[in-house]
Amino acid sequence: MKGLHIIGVSHAYGDNQVLDDASLMIPAGELVCLLGPSGSGKTTLLRLAAGLERLHKGRIVIDDEVVADPEMHVPPEHRGIGLMFQDYALFPHLSIIDNVTFGLIGQPQDQARRRAMDMLDQVGMAQHATSHPHMLSGGQQQRIALIRALAPKPKVLLLDEPFSGLDTNMRGQIREETLTVLKSSGVATLMVTHDPEEAMFMADRIKILGFGGSILQSGRPHEIYYHPRHEFVAKLFGLMNRFEGVVEGGCVETPLGKIPAKDLGEGRPVEVLIRPEGVMLESDSDNGTPVEVISTHLLGHDNIVRVRLSDESGAKEEEKELYVRIHHTFEPELSKRITAGVDPEYAFIFPTDDLGGMAGAGYTVSPQPEAAE
Ligand SMILES: Nc1ncnc2c1ncn2[C@@H]1O[C@H](COP(=O)(O)OP(=O)(O)O)[C@@H](O)[C@H]1O
Ligand SMILES: [Mg+2]
């Protein structure tokens, strides 16, 4: 297979076990995001793939050729990889074109320059060829770093939090441009990020790396968001509302209504996690559970509303306060009765009787088969 294949990789620094039997496969032309919290071992996996770190256990294969196993180590410059790390530092004393041709050493100079100019043209930077890095904006420098990594036509591109240095406005635009460039290059890309939104935006498939150093779930962005198979995965995307309950008659009763739980045994103790956008608020409706609005926060494209369930709701004290995400402007009139209901599509149920910490096994309402590896 053309692309990157990481098979059963484990890694420890001293007695700090960082990766535990992590595997992933990226065919040419695909972009896989490795998503996990800070310190979960994302950079370590990237460094192992690049050959910047010695592999102790497992195997790394690029275009059907083993480049690392415990006995063998192909050095980074012979792996056919392009690298772009968090601080994508360009060489300050070199012009932009010289930065881009840097990785093309060994090619005839005019051929290298032609390739570099083509790449600069592709990202609309040809007119900056003779500028120096300090003359460019952060976004422009990032673009140059990307094409510098791609110019030698690597088989695999490794990106470590490539957008974290950019401000919010710039980030959206650069992400999109980067995707266009990557898709037209047909390279297999492994991108590491701790930002779930970024992973959702960029990835063909997402791999979730948990603190135990193993991959907890992999799938298309939609599967990861709507069918998290672990509590840990569900919670990666931000605030969750949580209720405890018990499966009865194939459902779990929550203060907001019943949630179907057909795949879980009767009487099983569970927790129900509901995304803020899964709570529906209505005014002057006979449906739903009465709530009191505590505050609303405009986030730009949507609002976060904090509401409180009444004492009659039956909710435990710690479960009474809820977060609701709504897309329209929400200005509740004090006189109006506000009620809350739930959209089960955004509700996930996990048994609490066999959870071994954050990364324990979990079940959603309808478990999905994992993407074929
Ligand atoms: N060179 C190193 N020597 C010792 N420990 C390291 C080294 N690099 C990373 N670590 C440790 O390994 C763990 C994972 O780090 P890293 O791979 O950088 O995580 P992430 O990129 O997900 O934030 C952390 O606990 C970190 O302190
Ligand atoms: Mg890192």
Side-chain angles (χ1 to χ4, degrees), residues 50 92 99 140 144 167 174 209 217-218 233 294 313 365:
N99 264 280
Q140 289 172 325
I144 301 303
D167 62 44
I174 295 281
L209 191 62
Q217 188 173 351
S218 86
V233 177
I294 303 169
S313 67
V365 178

Side-chain angles (χ1 to χ4, degrees), residues 268-341:
R268 196 121 189 234
V270 294
E271 65 172 351
V272 180
L273 299 177
I274 304 173
R275 294 206 191 282
E277 58 267 47
V279 181
M280 310 312 200
L281 295 183
E282 283 191 79
S283 42
D284 280 343
S285 160
D286 293 331
N287 302 320
T289 309
V291 293
E292 179 195 339
V293 174
I294 303 169
S295 61
T296 73
H297 305 268
L298 178 65
L299 298 182
H301 37 75
D302 50 21
N303 296 268
I304 284 287
V305 182
R306 276 171 66 214
V307 302
R308 195 175 160 79
L309 293 162
S310 69
D311 292 340
E312 290 80 59
S313 67
K316 293 179 192 166
E317 193 51 39
E318 69 272 18
E319 297 179 348
K320 273 188 187 153
E321 220 173 281
L322 304 178
Y323 287 92
V324 187
R325 187 187 291 274
I326 46 183
H327 296 297
H328 47 88
T329 313
F330 183 75
E331 283 161 356
E333 291 170 40
L334 290 178
S335 58
K336 281 198 175 170
R337 214 174 84 91
I338 308 284
T339 53

